[in-house]
Every structure is written in C-alpha cells, then in structure tokens.
Amino acid sequence: MEFIIFYLLIINAISFSMMGLDKHYAIKDMRRIPERHLFLIGYIGGAIGLLLGLKKFRHKKLKKKFSYGLPLLSIINISAVAVLLTIFYR
C-alpha cells in the first residue's frame, strides 16, 4: 500500500510541475510540452496533478479536451486506485 501512495504522490507532483513548466514555456514563447505527453502522464496516474495545475496556473483551461478530459481522467484514476486497493488489500 505504501508503494501505491508513494507512486501517486510522485507522479502527481511531476504532472503538476509539468503544467507549471509548460505555462512558463508558453509565457517565454519557448518550445512547449506536447499535449499528448501531458495526457500520457495523466493516464498513468497523474491526472489529479494535471487538474490541480490547470486550476493553479490557469493553463489550458479553455481547451475542451483539458477542461472536460482531466476531470474524467481523474475519476478514472481514483476508480482504478480504489479497485487496486480492494483487490490487493482486503
């Protein structure tokens, strides 16, 4: 159980940082982090970090695939963790 919690904390910290970094790159007119990379990290458990980054940095909030997709992906992540915890830690 500790491994799952540690993994989720790290992956969400990374995804939150990626949103902040992409916002910084956008302001400085630098090369950006591709959206598919942001969604990939969301698929592997970092959706909540991306969602928090979207709110904190006000970044990509007008894009429908982020404003609708990240909450949905967060629900899927939470459901997957709940299923894993019930399977492995009964």
Side-chain angles (χ1 to χ4, degrees):
M1 181 155 161
E2 294 83 22
F3 173 75
I4 292 173
I5 293 170
F6 180 73
Y7 173 78
L8 290 173
L9 287 173
I10 295 299
I11 199 74
N12 281 290
I14 290 169
S15 63
F16 181 81
S17 300
M18 285 176 69
M19 282 296 263
L21 191 60
D22 192 48
K23 175 71 173 194
H24 174 74
Y25 289 164
I27 292 170
K28 297 290 184 181
D29 199 29
M30 298 170 65
R31 187 176 175 142
R32 307 276 300 278
I33 298 172
E35 290 179 355
R36 67 178 181 264
H37 292 174
L38 294 173
F39 273 106
L40 177 64
I41 199 154
Y43 287 129
I44 61 172
I48 294 173
L50 289 175
L51 188 60
L52 292 174
L54 178 117
K55 303 281 186 190
K56 169 74 175 162
F57 303 114
R58 292 185 288 170
H59 186 52
K60 296 194 178 283
K61 67 179 187 173
L62 297 178
K63 292 200 170 206
K64 290 186 194 250
K65 63 181 165 183
F66 280 90
S67 62
Y68 293 114
L70 288 181
L72 179 64
L73 196 54
S74 295
I75 291 169
I76 292 169
N77 280 183
I78 292 168
S79 300
V81 169
V83 167
L84 283 174
L85 290 176
T86 54
I87 290 172
F88 292 115
Y89 299 106
R90 286 185 175 198

Coordinates of all heavy atoms in Angstrom, one line a residue:
M1 N 0.8 -1.2 0.0 CA 0.0 0.0 0.0 C 0.9 1.3 0.0 O 0.5 2.2 -0.7 CB -0.9 0.0 1.2 CG -1.8 1.2 1.3 SD -3.3 0.8 2.2 CE -3.9 2.4 2.6
E2 N 2.0 1.2 0.7 CA 2.9 2.4 0.8 C 3.4 2.7 -0.6 O 3.6 3.8 -1.0 CB 4.0 2.1 1.8 CG 3.6 2.0 3.2 CD 3.1 0.6 3.6 OE1 3.5 -0.3 2.9 OE2 2.3 0.5 4.5
F3 N 3.7 1.6 -1.4 CA 4.2 1.8 -2.7 C 3.2 2.6 -3.6 O 3.6 3.5 -4.3 CB 4.6 0.5 -3.4 CG 5.0 0.6 -4.8 CD1 6.2 1.1 -5.2 CD2 4.1 0.3 -5.8 CE1 6.6 1.3 -6.5 CE2 4.4 0.4 -7.2 CZ 5.7 1.0 -7.5
I4 N 2.0 2.2 -3.5 CA 0.9 2.9 -4.3 C 0.8 4.3 -4.0 O 0.8 5.2 -4.8 CB -0.4 2.2 -4.2 CG1 -0.3 0.8 -4.8 CG2 -1.6 3.0 -4.9 CD1 -1.6 -0.1 -4.6
I5 N 0.8 4.6 -2.7 CA 0.7 6.0 -2.2 C 1.9 6.8 -2.6 O 1.8 7.9 -3.1 CB 0.5 6.1 -0.7 CG1 -0.9 5.5 -0.3 CG2 0.6 7.5 -0.2 CD1 -1.1 5.2 1.1
F6 N 3.1 6.2 -2.5 CA 4.4 6.9 -2.9 C 4.3 7.2 -4.4 O 4.7 8.3 -4.8 CB 5.6 6.0 -2.5 CG 6.9 6.6 -2.9 CD1 7.4 7.7 -2.2 CD2 7.6 6.1 -3.9 CE1 8.6 8.3 -2.5 CE2 8.8 6.7 -4.3 CZ 9.3 7.8 -3.6
Y7 N 3.9 6.2 -5.2 CA 3.9 6.3 -6.6 C 2.9 7.5 -7.0 O 3.3 8.3 -7.8 CB 3.4 5.0 -7.3 CG 3.2 5.2 -8.8 CD1 4.2 5.2 -9.7 CD2 1.9 5.3 -9.3 CE1 4.0 5.4 -11.0 CE2 1.7 5.5 -10.6 CZ 2.7 5.5 -11.5 OH 2.5 5.7 -12.8
L8 N 1.8 7.5 -6.4 CA 0.8 8.5 -6.8 C 1.3 9.9 -6.4 O 1.0 10.9 -7.1 CB -0.6 8.2 -6.1 CG -1.3 7.0 -6.7 CD1 -2.5 6.7 -5.9 CD2 -1.7 7.3 -8.1
L9 N 1.9 10.0 -5.2 CA 2.4 11.3 -4.8 C 3.5 11.8 -5.8 O 3.5 13.0 -6.2 CB 3.0 11.2 -3.4 CG 2.0 11.1 -2.3 CD1 2.7 10.9 -0.9 CD2 1.2 12.4 -2.2
I10 N 4.4 10.9 -6.2 CA 5.5 11.3 -7.1 C 4.9 11.7 -8.5 O 5.3 12.7 -9.1 CB 6.5 10.2 -7.2 CG1 7.2 10.0 -5.9 CG2 7.6 10.5 -8.3 CD1 8.0 11.2 -5.3
I11 N 4.1 10.8 -9.0 CA 3.6 11.0 -10.4 C 2.7 12.3 -10.5 O 2.7 13.0 -11.4 CB 2.8 9.8 -10.9 CG1 2.7 9.8 -12.5 CG2 1.5 9.6 -10.4 CD1 4.0 9.5 -13.2
N12 N 2.0 12.6 -9.4 CA 1.1 13.8 -9.4 C 2.0 15.0 -9.2 O 1.7 16.1 -9.7 CB 0.0 13.7 -8.4 CG -1.1 12.8 -8.9 OD1 -1.8 13.2 -9.8 ND2 -1.3 11.6 -8.4
A13 N 3.1 14.9 -8.4 CA 4.0 16.1 -8.3 C 4.6 16.4 -9.6 O 4.8 17.5 -10.0 CB 5.0 15.8 -7.2
I14 N 5.0 15.3 -10.3 CA 5.6 15.5 -11.7 C 4.6 16.1 -12.6 O 5.0 17.1 -13.4 CB 6.2 14.2 -12.2 CG1 7.4 13.7 -11.4 CG2 6.5 14.3 -13.7 CD1 7.8 12.3 -11.6
S15 N 3.4 15.6 -12.6 CA 2.4 16.2 -13.6 C 2.1 17.6 -13.3 O 1.9 18.4 -14.2 CB 1.2 15.3 -13.6 OG 0.5 15.3 -12.4
F16 N 2.0 18.0 -12.0 CA 1.7 19.3 -11.6 C 2.8 20.2 -12.0 O 2.6 21.3 -12.6 CB 1.5 19.4 -10.0 CG 1.3 20.8 -9.5 CD1 0.0 21.3 -9.6 CD2 2.3 21.5 -9.0 CE1 -0.3 22.6 -9.1 CE2 2.0 22.8 -8.5 CZ 0.7 23.3 -8.5
S17 N 4.1 19.8 -11.9 CA 5.2 20.5 -12.3 C 5.3 20.7 -13.8 O 5.7 21.8 -14.3 CB 6.5 19.9 -11.8 OG 6.5 19.7 -10.4
M18 N 4.9 19.7 -14.5 CA 4.8 19.8 -16.0 C 3.9 20.9 -16.5 O 4.2 21.6 -17.4 CB 4.5 18.4 -16.6 CG 5.6 17.4 -16.6 SD 5.1 15.8 -17.2 CE 4.9 16.1 -18.9
M19 N 2.7 21.0 -15.8 CA 1.8 22.0 -16.2 C 2.4 23.4 -15.9 O 2.3 24.3 -16.7 CB 0.5 21.9 -15.4 CG -0.4 20.8 -16.0 SD -1.0 21.2 -17.6 CE -2.6 21.9 -17.2
G20 N 3.1 23.6 -14.8 CA 3.7 24.8 -14.5 C 4.8 25.2 -15.4 O 5.0 26.3 -15.9
L21 N 5.6 24.2 -15.8 CA 6.7 24.3 -16.7 C 6.2 24.7 -18.1 O 6.7 25.6 -18.8 CB 7.5 23.1 -16.8 CG 8.9 23.1 -17.5 CD1 9.8 24.2 -16.9 CD2 9.5 21.8 -17.5
D22 N 5.1 24.0 -18.5 CA 4.5 24.3 -19.8 C 3.9 25.8 -19.9 O 4.1 26.5 -20.9 CB 3.4 23.3 -20.2 CG 3.0 23.4 -21.7 OD1 3.9 23.5 -22.5 OD2 1.8 23.5 -21.9
K23 N 3.4 26.2 -18.8 CA 2.9 27.6 -18.7 C 4.0 28.6 -18.8 O 3.9 29.6 -19.5 CB 2.1 27.8 -17.4 CG 1.7 29.2 -17.1 CD 0.5 29.6 -18.0 CE 0.0 30.9 -17.6 NZ -1.3 31.2 -18.2
H24 N 5.1 28.3 -18.1 CA 6.3 29.1 -18.2 C 6.8 29.2 -19.6 O 7.2 30.2 -20.1 CB 7.4 28.6 -17.2 CG 8.7 29.2 -17.3 ND1 8.9 30.5 -16.8 CD2 9.9 28.9 -17.9 CE1 10.2 30.9 -17.1 NE2 10.8 29.9 -17.7
Y25 N 6.9 28.0 -20.3 CA 7.4 28.0 -21.7 C 6.4 28.8 -22.6 O 6.9 29.4 -23.5 CB 7.4 26.5 -22.2 CG 8.5 25.7 -21.6 CD1 8.5 24.3 -21.7 CD2 9.6 26.3 -20.9 CE1 9.5 23.5 -21.2 CE2 10.6 25.5 -20.4 CZ 10.6 24.1 -20.6 OH 11.6 23.3 -20.0
A26 N 5.1 28.7 -22.3 CA 4.2 29.5 -23.1 C 4.4 31.0 -22.9 O 4.4 31.8 -23.9 CB 2.8 29.1 -22.7
I27 N 4.6 31.4 -21.7 CA 4.9 32.9 -21.5 C 6.2 33.3 -22.1 O 6.2 34.4 -22.7 CB 4.9 33.1 -19.9 CG1 3.5 32.9 -19.3 CG2 5.4 34.5 -19.6 CD1 3.5 32.9 -17.8
K28 N 7.2 32.5 -22.1 CA 8.5 32.9 -22.6 C 8.6 32.6 -24.1 O 9.7 32.8 -24.7 CB 9.6 32.1 -21.9 CG 9.7 32.4 -20.4 CD 10.3 33.8 -20.3 CE 10.4 34.1 -18.8 NZ 10.9 35.5 -18.5
D29 N 7.5 32.1 -24.7 CA 7.5 31.7 -26.2 C 8.6 30.7 -26.5 O 9.3 30.9 -27.5 CB 7.6 33.0 -27.0 CG 7.1 32.8 -28.4 OD1 6.2 31.9 -28.6 OD2 7.6 33.4 -29.4
M30 N 8.7 29.7 -25.7 CA 9.7 28.6 -25.9 C 9.0 27.4 -26.4 O 7.7 27.3 -26.5 CB 10.4 28.4 -24.6 CG 11.2 29.5 -24.1 SD 11.9 29.3 -22.4 CE 13.0 27.9 -22.7
R31 N 9.8 26.4 -26.7 CA 9.2 25.1 -27.2 C 8.4 24.5 -26.0 O 8.8 24.4 -24.9 CB 10.3 24.2 -27.6 CG 9.8 22.9 -28.2 CD 10.9 22.1 -28.7 NE 10.4 20.8 -29.1 CZ 10.8 20.2 -30.2 NH1 11.8 20.7 -30.9 NH2 10.3 19.1 -30.6
R32 N 7.2 24.0 -26.3 CA 6.2 23.6 -25.3 C 6.2 22.1 -25.1 O 6.8 21.3 -25.9 CB 4.8 24.0 -25.8 CG 4.6 25.5 -26.1 CD 4.4 26.3 -24.9 NE 3.2 25.9 -24.2 CZ 2.0 26.3 -24.6 NH1 1.8 27.1 -25.6 NH2 0.9 25.9 -23.9
I33 N 5.6 21.6 -24.0 CA 5.5 20.2 -23.8 C 4.3 19.8 -24.6 O 3.2 20.4 -24.4 CB 5.2 20.0 -22.3 CG1 6.5 20.4 -21.4 CG2 4.9 18.5 -22.0 CD1 6.3 20.4 -20.0
P34 N 4.4 18.7 -25.4 CA 3.3 18.3 -26.2 C 2.1 17.9 -25.3 O 2.3 17.3 -24.3 CB 3.8 17.1 -27.0 CG 5.3 17.3 -27.0 CD 5.6 18.0 -25.7
E35 N 0.9 18.2 -25.8 CA -0.3 17.8 -25.1 C -0.4 16.3 -24.9 O -0.9 15.8 -23.8 CB -1.6 18.3 -25.8 CG -1.7 19.8 -25.7 CD -2.9 20.4 -26.4 OE1 -3.6 19.6 -27.1 OE2 -3.1 21.6 -26.3
R36 N 0.0 15.5 -25.8 CA 0.0 14.1 -25.7 C 0.8 13.6 -24.5 O 0.5 12.6 -23.9 CB 0.3 13.3 -27.0 CG 1.7 13.5 -27.4 CD 2.0 12.7 -28.7 NE 3.4 12.8 -29.1 CZ 3.8 13.7 -30.0 NH1 3.0 14.5 -30.6 NH2 5.1 13.8 -30.2
H37 N 1.9 14.3 -24.2 CA 2.8 13.9 -23.1 C 2.0 14.2 -21.8 O 2.2 13.5 -20.8 CB 4.1 14.6 -23.1 CG 5.0 14.2 -24.3 ND1 6.2 14.8 -24.6 CD2 4.8 13.2 -25.2 CE1 6.7 14.2 -25.6 NE2 5.9 13.2 -26.0
L38 N 1.3 15.3 -21.8 CA 0.6 15.7 -20.6 C -0.5 14.7 -20.3 O -0.7 14.2 -19.2 CB 0.0 17.1 -20.7 CG 1.0 18.3 -20.8 CD1 0.3 19.6 -21.1 CD2 1.8 18.4 -19.5
F39 N -1.2 14.3 -21.4 CA -2.3 13.3 -21.2 C -1.7 11.9 -20.9 O -2.3 11.1 -20.1 CB -3.2 13.2 -22.4 CG -4.3 14.1 -22.4 CD1 -4.3 15.3 -23.2 CD2 -5.4 13.9 -21.5 CE1 -5.4 16.2 -23.1 CE2 -6.4 14.8 -21.5 CZ -6.4 16.0 -22.3
L40 N -0.5 11.6 -21.4 CA 0.1 10.3 -21.1 C 0.4 10.2 -19.6 O 0.1 9.2 -19.0 CB 1.4 10.1 -21.9 CG 2.2 8.9 -21.6 CD1 1.4 7.6 -22.0 CD2 3.5 8.9 -22.4
I41 N 1.0 11.3 -19.0 CA 1.3 11.2 -17.6 C 0.0 11.2 -16.8 O -0.1 10.6 -15.7 CB 2.2 12.4 -17.2 CG1 2.8 12.0 -15.8 CG2 1.4 13.7 -17.1 CD1 4.1 12.7 -15.6
G42 N -1.1 11.8 -17.3 CA -2.4 11.7 -16.7 C -2.9 10.2 -16.7 O -3.5 9.8 -15.7
Y43 N -2.7 9.5 -17.8 CA -3.2 8.2 -17.9 C -2.5 7.2 -17.0 O -3.1 6.2 -16.5 CB -3.0 7.6 -19.4 CG -4.0 8.2 -20.4 CD1 -3.5 8.7 -21.6 CD2 -5.3 8.2 -20.2 CE1 -4.3 9.3 -22.5 CE2 -6.2 8.7 -21.1 CZ -5.7 9.3 -22.3 OH -6.5 9.8 -23.2
I44 N -1.3 7.5 -16.6 CA -0.5 6.6 -15.8 C -0.6 7.0 -14.3 O 0.2 6.6 -13.5 CB 1.0 6.4 -16.2 CG1 1.7 7.8 -16.2 CG2 1.0 5.8 -17.6 CD1 3.2 7.6 -16.4
G45 N -1.6 7.9 -14.0 CA -1.9 8.2 -12.6 C -1.7 9.6 -12.2 O -2.0 10.0 -11.0
G46 N -1.3 10.5 -13.1 CA -1.0 11.9 -12.7 C -2.1 12.8 -13.1 O -1.9 14.0 -13.2
A47 N -3.3 12.4 -13.2 CA -4.4 13.2 -13.7 C -4.8 14.3 -12.6 O -5.1 15.4 -13.0 CB -5.7 12.4 -14.1
I48 N -4.7 13.9 -11.4 CA -5.1 14.9 -10.3 C -4.1 16.0 -10.3 O -4.4 17.2 -10.1 CB -5.2 14.2 -9.0 CG1 -6.4 13.2 -9.0 CG2 -5.4 15.2 -7.8 CD1 -6.6 12.3 -7.9
G49 N -2.8 15.7 -10.5 CA -1.8 16.7 -10.5 C -2.0 17.7 -11.7 O -1.8 18.9 -11.6
L50 N -2.4 17.1 -12.8 CA -2.6 17.9 -14.0 C -3.8 18.8 -13.8 O -3.8 20.0 -14.1 CB -2.9 17.1 -15.2 CG -1.7 16.3 -15.8 CD1 -2.2 15.4 -17.0 CD2 -0.7 17.3 -16.3
L51 N -4.9 18.3 -13.1 CA -6.1 19.0 -12.8 C -5.8 20.2 -11.9 O -6.2 21.3 -12.1 CB -7.1 18.1 -12.3 CG -8.5 18.7 -12.1 CD1 -9.1 19.2 -13.4 CD2 -9.5 17.7 -11.5
L52 N -5.0 19.9 -10.9 CA -4.5 20.9 -9.9 C -3.7 22.0 -10.6 O -3.8 23.2 -10.3 CB -3.8 20.3 -8.7 CG -4.6 19.5 -7.8 CD1 -3.7 18.8 -6.7 CD2 -5.7 20.3 -7.1
G53 N -2.8 21.6 -11.5 CA -2.0 22.5 -12.3 C -2.8 23.4 -13.2 O -2.6 24.6 -13.4
L54 N -3.9 22.8 -13.8 CA -4.8 23.5 -14.6 C -5.5 24.7 -13.8 O -5.6 25.8 -14.3 CB -5.9 22.6 -15.2 CG -6.9 23.2 -16.1 CD1 -6.8 22.6 -17.5 CD2 -8.3 22.9 -15.5
K55 N -5.9 24.4 -12.6 CA -6.5 25.4 -11.7 C -5.5 26.4 -11.2 O -5.8 27.6 -11.3 CB -7.2 24.7 -10.5 CG -8.2 23.6 -10.9 CD -9.5 24.3 -11.3 CE -10.5 23.2 -11.5 NZ -11.7 23.6 -12.1
K56 N -4.4 25.9 -10.7 CA -3.4 26.8 -10.1 C -2.7 27.8 -11.1 O -2.6 29.0 -10.9 CB -2.3 25.9 -9.4 CG -1.1 26.7 -9.0 CD -1.3 27.5 -7.8 CE 0.0 28.1 -7.3 NZ -0.2 29.2 -6.4
F57 N -2.3 27.2 -12.3 CA -1.6 28.1 -13.2 C -2.5 28.7 -14.3 O -2.1 29.4 -15.1 CB -0.5 27.2 -13.9 CG 0.5 26.6 -13.0 CD1 0.6 25.3 -12.8 CD2 1.3 27.4 -12.2 CE1 1.5 24.7 -11.9 CE2 2.2 26.9 -11.3 CZ 2.3 25.5 -11.2
R58 N -3.8 28.3 -14.2 CA -4.8 28.8 -15.2 C -4.3 28.5 -16.6 O -4.2 29.4 -17.5 CB -5.1 30.2 -15.0 CG -5.9 30.4 -13.7 CD -6.4 31.8 -13.5 NE -5.2 32.6 -13.2 CZ -5.2 33.9 -13.2 NH1 -6.3 34.6 -13.4 NH2 -4.2 34.6 -12.9
H59 N -3.8 27.3 -16.8 CA -3.2 26.9 -18.1 C -4.0 25.9 -18.8 O -4.4 24.9 -18.2 CB -1.8 26.4 -17.8 CG -1.0 26.1 -19.0 ND1 -0.8 27.0 -20.0 CD2 -0.3 25.0 -19.4 CE1 0.0 26.4 -20.9 NE2 0.3 25.2 -20.6
K60 N -4.3 26.1 -20.0 CA -5.1 25.2 -20.9 C -6.5 25.0 -20.4 O -7.2 24.1 -20.8 CB -4.4 23.8 -21.0 CG -3.0 23.9 -21.7 CD -2.6 22.6 -22.1 CE -1.2 22.6 -22.8 NZ -1.3 23.1 -24.1
K61 N -7.0 26.0 -19.6 CA -8.4 25.8 -19.1 C -9.4 26.1 -20.2 O -10.6 25.6 -20.0 CB -8.6 26.7 -17.9 CG -8.6 28.2 -18.2 CD -8.8 29.0 -17.0 CE -9.0 30.4 -17.3 NZ -9.4 31.2 -16.2
L62 N -9.1 26.7 -21.3 CA -10.1 27.0 -22.3 C -10.2 25.8 -23.3 O -11.1 25.8 -24.1 CB -9.8 28.3 -23.0 CG -9.8 29.6 -22.2 CD1 -9.5 30.8 -23.0 CD2 -11.2 29.7 -21.6
K63 N -9.2 24.9 -23.3 CA -9.2 23.8 -24.2 C -10.2 22.8 -23.7 O -10.0 22.3 -22.5 CB -7.8 23.2 -24.4 CG -6.9 24.1 -25.1 CD -5.7 23.4 -25.6 CE -5.0 24.3 -26.6 NZ -4.3 23.6 -27.6
K64 N -11.2 22.4 -24.5 CA -12.2 21.5 -24.0 C -11.7 20.1 -23.6 O -12.1 19.5 -22.7 CB -13.3 21.3 -25.1 CG -14.1 22.6 -25.2 CD -15.3 22.4 -26.2 CE -15.8 23.7 -26.5 NZ -17.0 24.1 -26.1
K65 N -10.7 19.6 -24.4 CA -10.1 18.3 -24.0 C -9.4 18.3 -22.7 O -9.4 17.3 -22.0 CB -9.2 17.7 -25.1 CG -8.0 18.5 -25.4 CD -7.3 17.8 -26.5 CE -6.2 18.7 -27.1 NZ -5.6 18.0 -28.3
F66 N -9.0 19.5 -22.2 CA -8.4 19.5 -20.9 C -9.5 19.8 -19.8 O -9.5 19.2 -18.8 CB -7.3 20.6 -20.8 CG -6.0 20.1 -21.4 CD1 -5.7 20.3 -22.7 CD2 -5.1 19.5 -20.6 CE1 -4.5 19.8 -23.2 CE2 -3.9 19.0 -21.1 CZ -3.6 19.2 -22.4
S67 N -10.4 20.8 -20.1 CA -11.4 21.2 -19.1 C -12.4 20.1 -18.9 O -13.0 20.0 -17.8 CB -12.1 22.5 -19.5 OG -12.8 22.3 -20.7
Y68 N -12.6 19.2 -19.8 CA -13.5 18.1 -19.6 C -12.8 16.7 -19.5 O -13.2 15.9 -18.7 CB -14.5 17.9 -20.8 CG -15.5 19.0 -21.0 CD1 -15.5 19.9 -22.0 CD2 -16.4 19.3 -20.0 CE1 -16.3 21.0 -22.2 CE2 -17.3 20.3 -20.1 CZ -17.3 21.2 -21.2 OH -18.2 22.2 -21.3
G69 N -11.7 16.6 -20.1 CA -10.9 15.4 -20.1 C -10.2 15.1 -18.8 O -10.2 14.0 -18.3
L70 N -9.6 16.1 -18.2 CA -8.9 15.9 -17.0 C -9.8 15.5 -15.8 O -9.4 14.6 -15.0 CB -8.0 17.1 -16.6 CG -6.8 17.3 -17.5 CD1 -6.0 18.5 -17.1 CD2 -5.9 16.1 -17.6
P71 N -10.9 16.2 -15.6 CA -11.8 15.7 -14.5 C -12.2 14.2 -14.7 O -12.3 13.4 -13.8 CB -13.0 16.6 -14.6 CG -12.5 17.9 -15.2 CD -11.5 17.4 -16.2
L72 N -12.6 13.9 -16.0 CA -12.9 12.5 -16.3 C -11.8 11.5 -16.0 O -11.9 10.5 -15.4 CB -13.4 12.4 -17.7 CG -13.8 11.0 -18.2 CD1 -15.1 10.5 -17.4 CD2 -14.2 11.1 -19.7
L73 N -10.6 11.9 -16.5 CA -9.4 11.1 -16.3 C -9.1 11.0 -14.8 O -8.6 9.9 -14.3 CB -8.2 11.7 -17.0 CG -7.0 10.8 -17.3 CD1 -7.4 9.5 -17.9 CD2 -6.0 11.6 -18.1
S74 N -9.3 12.0 -14.0 CA -9.1 12.0 -12.5 C -10.1 10.9 -11.9 O -9.7 10.2 -11.0 CB -9.4 13.3 -11.9 OG -8.4 14.2 -12.4
I75 N -11.3 10.9 -12.4 CA -12.3 10.0 -11.8 C -11.9 8.6 -12.2 O -11.9 7.7 -11.3 CB -13.7 10.3 -12.4 CG1 -14.2 11.6 -11.8 CG2 -14.7 9.1 -12.1 CD1 -15.5 12.1 -12.4
I76 N -11.4 8.4 -13.4 CA -10.9 7.0 -13.8 C -9.7 6.6 -12.9 O -9.6 5.5 -12.5 CB -10.5 7.0 -15.3 CG1 -11.8 7.2 -16.1 CG2 -9.8 5.8 -15.7 CD1 -11.6 7.4 -17.6
N77 N -8.8 7.6 -12.7 CA -7.6 7.3 -11.9 C -8.0 6.9 -10.4 O -7.5 5.9 -9.9 CB -6.7 8.5 -11.8 CG -5.8 8.7 -13.0 OD1 -4.9 9.6 -13.0 ND2 -5.9 7.8 -14.0
I78 N -8.9 7.7 -9.9 CA -9.4 7.4 -8.5 C -10.1 6.0 -8.4 O -9.9 5.2 -7.5 CB -10.3 8.5 -8.0 CG1 -9.5 9.8 -7.8 CG2 -11.0 8.1 -6.7 CD1 -10.3 11.0 -7.6
S79 N -10.9 5.7 -9.5 CA -11.6 4.4 -9.5 C -10.6 3.3 -9.6 O -10.7 2.2 -9.0 CB -12.5 4.4 -10.7 OG -13.5 5.4 -10.6
A80 N -9.6 3.5 -10.5 CA -8.5 2.4 -10.6 C -7.8 2.2 -9.3 O -7.5 1.0 -9.0 CB -7.6 2.8 -11.7
V81 N -7.5 3.2 -8.6 CA -6.8 3.1 -7.3 C -7.7 2.4 -6.3 O -7.2 1.5 -5.6 CB -6.3 4.4 -6.8 CG1 -5.8 4.3 -5.4 CG2 -5.2 5.0 -7.7
A82 N -8.9 2.7 -6.3 CA -9.9 2.1 -5.4 C -10.0 0.6 -5.7 O -10.0 -0.3 -4.8 CB -11.2 2.7 -5.5
V83 N -10.0 0.2 -6.9 CA -10.1 -1.2 -7.3 C -8.8 -1.9 -6.9 O -8.9 -3.0 -6.4 CB -10.4 -1.3 -8.9 CG1 -10.2 -2.8 -9.3 CG2 -11.8 -0.9 -9.2
L84 N -7.7 -1.3 -7.2 CA -6.4 -1.9 -6.8 C -6.3 -2.1 -5.3 O -5.9 -3.2 -4.8 CB -5.2 -1.1 -7.3 CG -4.9 -1.2 -8.7 CD1 -3.8 -0.1 -9.1 CD2 -4.4 -2.5 -9.1
L85 N -6.7 -1.2 -4.6 CA -6.7 -1.3 -3.1 C -7.6 -2.4 -2.6 O -7.2 -3.1 -1.7 CB -7.0 0.1 -2.4 CG -5.9 1.1 -2.6 CD1 -6.4 2.4 -2.0 CD2 -4.6 0.7 -2.1
T86 N -8.8 -2.5 -3.2 CA -9.7 -3.5 -2.7 C -9.2 -4.9 -3.1 O -9.5 -5.9 -2.4 CB -11.1 -3.3 -3.2 OG1 -11.1 -3.2 -4.6 CG2 -11.7 -2.1 -2.6
I87 N -8.6 -5.0 -4.3 CA -8.1 -6.3 -4.7 C -6.9 -6.8 -3.9 O -6.9 -7.9 -3.4 CB -7.7 -6.3 -6.2 CG1 -9.0 -6.2 -7.1 CG2 -6.9 -7.5 -6.6 CD1 -8.7 -6.0 -8.5
F88 N -5.9 -5.9 -3.7 CA -4.7 -6.3 -3.0 C -4.7 -6.2 -1.5 O -3.9 -6.8 -0.8 CB -3.5 -5.5 -3.6 CG -3.2 -5.8 -5.0 CD1 -3.4 -4.9 -6.0 CD2 -2.8 -7.1 -5.4 CE1 -3.1 -5.2 -7.3 CE2 -2.5 -7.4 -6.7 CZ -2.6 -6.5 -7.7
Y89 N -5.6 -5.4 -1.0 CA -5.6 -5.1 0.5 C -6.9 -5.4 1.1 O -7.5 -4.5 1.7 CB -5.1 -3.7 0.8 CG -3.7 -3.5 0.3 CD1 -3.5 -2.7 -0.9 CD2 -2.6 -4.0 0.9 CE1 -2.2 -2.5 -1.3 CE2 -1.3 -3.8 0.4 CZ -1.1 -3.1 -0.7 OH 0.1 -2.8 -1.1
R90 N -7.4 -6.6 1.0 CA -8.7 -6.9 1.6 C -8.6 -7.2 3.0 O -7.8 -7.7 3.6 CB -9.3 -8.1 0.9 CG -9.9 -7.8 -0.4 CD -10.6 -9.0 -1.0 NE -11.2 -8.6 -2.2 CZ -12.1 -9.2 -2.8 NH1 -12.6 -10.3 -2.2 NH2 -12.6 -8.8 -3.9

